């Protein structure tokens, strides 16, 4: 049987250890083509390049462990997927896999995530897509315990199919041993309690560093944050239709059309 074509991308950059591990795992499943940013793009969300030039070139990162076809891109994660689909691949991929991100994309973090935005961009184009993240921000994070579960999830997605209009947001706990298992969850209600650290440069100009504390507002035992805290991998089906369908009937009762 013909191997599935897998488009691989990320937001930490094409040399990131998480991406390099993901490439190795995906090569066990199918034919891999990588299109990833040439520099870190964390927190870019679904930004795209529209007012400057976009560059891409074929690169070789690792002759033995890399993919046969790898391309670096000067743009955002969403740009990488767009460019891969429109210019680099000669056929539609069977699946798009983004990650492995260095750090959690659970709960509200999904909104800001370049990793998940790359997956969502593929989903918008009708391509099954999954974003993988490890809850460890360290550059030398240990991804070894995640490999088998990542392979299993991707194989199941290829075999079973991902529901239309949905991409999977998968987060893996930071553990010293293999995760306890995999739980399909909902996104936990949470927020960032943010503040800006105001400083002054040597030339007298004010500048700011954004900082904050994660605030979990959800005590449910069916959420991604709960699963991760218990040592499980969380899988959240995520949709890119942002319509609040439950609010339509209520807002229809407003006097919007009265003079």
């Amino acid at each position: 049987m013909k191997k599935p074509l897998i488009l691989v991308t990320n937001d930490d950059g094409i040399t990131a250890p998480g991406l390099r591990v993901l490439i190795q795992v995906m090569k066990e499943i199918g034919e891999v083509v990588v299109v990833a940013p040439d520099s870190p793009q964390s927190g870019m969300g679904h930004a795209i390049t529209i007012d400057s030039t976009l560059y891409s070139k074929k690169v070789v990162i690792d002759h033995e462990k890399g993919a046969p076809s790898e391309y670096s891109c000067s743009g955002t994660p969403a740009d990488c997927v767009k460019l891969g689909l429109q210019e680099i691949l000669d056929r539609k991929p069977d699946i798009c896999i983004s990650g492995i991100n260095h750090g959690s994309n659970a709960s509200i973090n999904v909104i800001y995530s370049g990793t998940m935005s790359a997956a969502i961009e593929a989903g918008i184009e009708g391509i099954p897509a999954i974003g993988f993240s490890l809850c460890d921000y360290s550059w030398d994070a240990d991804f070894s315990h995640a490999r088998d579960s990542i392979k299993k999830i991707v194989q199941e997605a290829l075999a079973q199919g991902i529901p239309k209009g949905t991409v999977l947001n998968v987060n893996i706990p930071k553990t010293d041993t293999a995760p306890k298992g995999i739980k399909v969850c909902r996104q936990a209600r949470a927020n960032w309690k943010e503040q800006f650290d105001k400083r002054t440069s040597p030339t007298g100009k004010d500048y700011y560093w954004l900082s904050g504390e994660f605030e979990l507002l959800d005590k449910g035992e069916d959420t991604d944050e709960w699963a991760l805290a218990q040592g499980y991998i969380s899988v959240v089906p995520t949709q890119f239709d942002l319509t609040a369908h439950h609010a339509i009937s209520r807002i229809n009762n407003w006097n919007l059309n009265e003079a």
Side-chain angles (χ1 to χ4, degrees):
M1 292 180 63
K2 193 173 184 180
K3 287 187 174 182
L5 177 59
I6 305 173
L7 175 61
V8 173
T9 189
N10 76 339
D11 74 348
D12 290 313
I14 197 164
T15 62
L19 176 67
R20 309 320 301 177
V21 171
L22 184 63
I23 292 169
Q24 295 174 40
V25 177
M26 292 304 101
K27 284 169 63 177
E28 297 174 9
I29 299 174
E31 176 188 352
V32 176
V33 177
V34 179
V35 186
D38 59 12
S39 60
Q41 297 284 332
S42 295
M44 290 298 291
H46 213 100
I48 56 174
T49 301
I50 57 174
D51 58 356
S52 61
T53 307
L54 196 63
Y55 295 94
S56 180
K57 64 179 180 179
K58 193 167 185 178
V59 296
V60 177
I61 305 299
D62 189 322
H63 285 282
E64 294 184 3
K65 297 182 179 180
S69 297
E70 295 194 39
Y71 298 83
S72 66
C73 173
S74 63
T76 68
D79 286 330
C80 290
V81 174
K82 287 179 178 291
L83 195 67
L85 297 179
Q86 298 295 327
E87 296 291 331
I88 294 174
L89 296 176
D90 57 7
R91 63 184 174 92
K92 185 177 180 179
D94 295 286
I95 198 166
C96 175
I97 308 297
S98 184
I100 306 166
N101 188 64
H102 291 245
S104 171
N105 277 319
S107 187
I108 195 64
N109 295 306
V110 68
I111 297 294
Y112 308 103
S113 169
T115 298
M116 278 303 295
S117 288
I120 288 169
E121 181 63 35
I124 291 170
E125 295 297 325
I127 298 162
I130 307 173
F132 287 99
S133 303
L134 177 70
C135 298
D136 186 344
Y137 291 93
S138 173
W139 192 251
D140 58 356
D142 182 6
F143 294 92
S144 61
H145 301 307
R147 295 176 65 117
D148 290 345
S149 296
I150 288 173
K151 184 176 180 180
K152 176 65 174 176
I153 291 169
V154 174
Q155 288 175 324
E156 281 295 297
L158 286 167
Q160 306 289 344
I162 297 174
K164 187 176 180 181
T166 303
V167 300
L168 301 185
N169 181 19
V170 180
N171 283 271
I172 302 156
K174 178 183 177 181
T175 58
D176 295 327
T177 59
K180 292 179 180 178
I182 300 171
K183 288 189 177 292
V184 180
C185 310
R186 63 177 174 86
Q187 177 183 318
R189 289 181 295 104
N191 206 347
W192 281 95
K193 202 169 183 179
E194 296 172 333
Q195 60 184 17
F196 284 96
D197 182 5
K198 183 178 180 181
R199 305 180 186 181
T200 304
S201 73
T203 59
K205 292 184 178 180
D206 291 336
Y207 67 97
Y208 302 86
W209 282 104
L210 178 63
S211 62
E213 294 182 1
F214 184 71
E215 189 176 26
L216 181 61
L217 306 173
D218 201 321
K219 303 301 182 182
E221 296 185 358
D222 59 345
T223 72
D224 49 7
E225 290 291 345
W226 182 89
L228 291 165
Q230 302 303 314
Y232 291 92
I233 293 172
S234 66
V235 178
V236 177
T238 303
Q239 64 183 20
F240 43 85
D241 174 3
L242 299 182
T243 306
H245 294 276
H246 65 281
I248 291 176
S249 59
R250 180 174 177 180
I251 295 175
N252 269 330
N253 291 325
W254 293 9
N255 298 320
L256 297 177
N257 295 306
E258 292 186 6

